[in-house]
Amino acid sequence: MTTRAATIHRGLSLEYFTVVWNLLEAAVALIFGAVAGSMALIGFGLDSLIEVSSGTILLWRLHADHDEERRERVERNALKLVGVSLLLLAAYIAGDSVVSLVGRKAPERSLPGIGLATASLIAVPLRARAKRRVAWARRSPALQADSRQTDICAYLSGVLLLGLLLNATLGWWWADPVAGLVMVPLIGYEGSEAVRGKTCCQRCR
């Protein structure tokens, strides 16, 4: 197997793992977020679904690696589609978090949510680092953007964990929607950059 083929194979394995992990992550977050009435947990689940979409698009891109013209087209489409999805997610989280704060809607404590956030905080940064290695090896803007989205998932895991712990230990009901609002600038910034086709991967050119 050539070095290029080995890199592509590794990238495919990472993206398949990403899709499966995030499907499970989204299911747990959305179910227990709905049970607990946790906007931050629901938002985390929706973000996981967006990463599933991104992973699926990048599987297509990696399978098309041998066709340079097709590869570039897939990368451009991937950036725009993920960017739009991120902006929609940011708007949804912002709106629902504000409604929760104004209505003083207190979420229930969620031990499964805390466990999910802890597991993600440990595992996701490792996956992001592995994706970056493949992105740099292939000089791929789309793959680099995907690794950045995985970084965001790690940040959101930390924010989510903090909000859930504050609610569970101190009864700070407002920590959950505030945690949701903290996510919004991160998601919105990355979304707007992706829609405009501007990513940190430009440094790899």
Side-chain angles (χ1 to χ4, degrees):
M1 183 180 293
T2 66
T3 300
R4 183 184 186 88
T7 302
I8 295 301
H9 178 73
R10 185 180 183 189
L12 286 168
S13 298
L14 284 169
E15 293 302 337
Y16 278 122
F17 181 78
T18 292
V19 169
V20 173
W21 173 281
N22 281 282
L23 282 173
L24 295 173
E25 190 175 69
V28 172
L30 291 173
I31 290 171
F32 288 102
V35 170
S38 169
M39 189 59 238
L41 195 52
I42 290 173
F44 187 75
L46 293 174
D47 179 71
S48 296
L49 289 178
I50 288 175
E51 194 167 353
V52 168
S53 299
S54 177
T56 302
I57 292 170
L58 285 164
L59 284 172
W60 178 33
R61 179 258 179 268
L62 286 166
H63 280 297
D65 188 75
H66 63 282
D67 187 333
E68 184 174 352
E69 182 178 352
R70 184 183 175 199
R71 180 177 65 218
E72 292 300 318
R73 184 171 65 252
V74 169
E75 287 189 350
R76 290 193 298 270
N77 290 337
L79 285 173
K80 291 180 181 179
L81 289 172
V82 172
V84 170
S85 298
L86 286 170
L87 291 175
L88 290 174
L89 174 63
Y92 173 72
I93 293 176
D96 214 86
S97 295
V98 169
V99 170
S100 296
L101 284 171
V102 173
R104 299 180 64 85
K105 181 181 177 182
E108 298 293 330
R109 291 175 175 83
S110 178
L111 293 179
I114 292 173
L116 173 66
T118 301
S120 294
L121 192 58
I122 294 171
V124 173
L126 298 176
R127 196 169 75 237
R129 186 182 307 168
K131 285 185 177 183
R132 275 194 297 274
R133 289 188 184 129
V134 175
W136 281 102
R138 292 275 50 83
R139 299 295 189 267
S140 168
L143 290 170
Q144 184 72 11
D146 182 60
S147 73
R148 178 56 181 157
Q149 183 171 331
T150 304
D151 280 329
I152 292 175
C153 186
Y155 301 153
L156 298 186
S157 298
V159 172
L160 173 66
L161 181 60
L162 179 61
L164 293 174
L165 286 175
L166 288 175
N167 179 61
T169 59
L170 301 177
W172 291 0
W173 65 269
W174 47 265
D176 185 85
V178 167
L181 288 174
V182 170
M183 297 179 183
V184 172
L186 291 171
I187 301 172
Y189 174 77
E190 292 298 329
S192 63
E193 291 292 281
V195 167
R196 292 186 293 170
K198 300 171 73 173
T199 70
C200 57
C201 62
Q202 290 174 335
R203 293 194 300 268
C204 71
R205 291 180 174 179

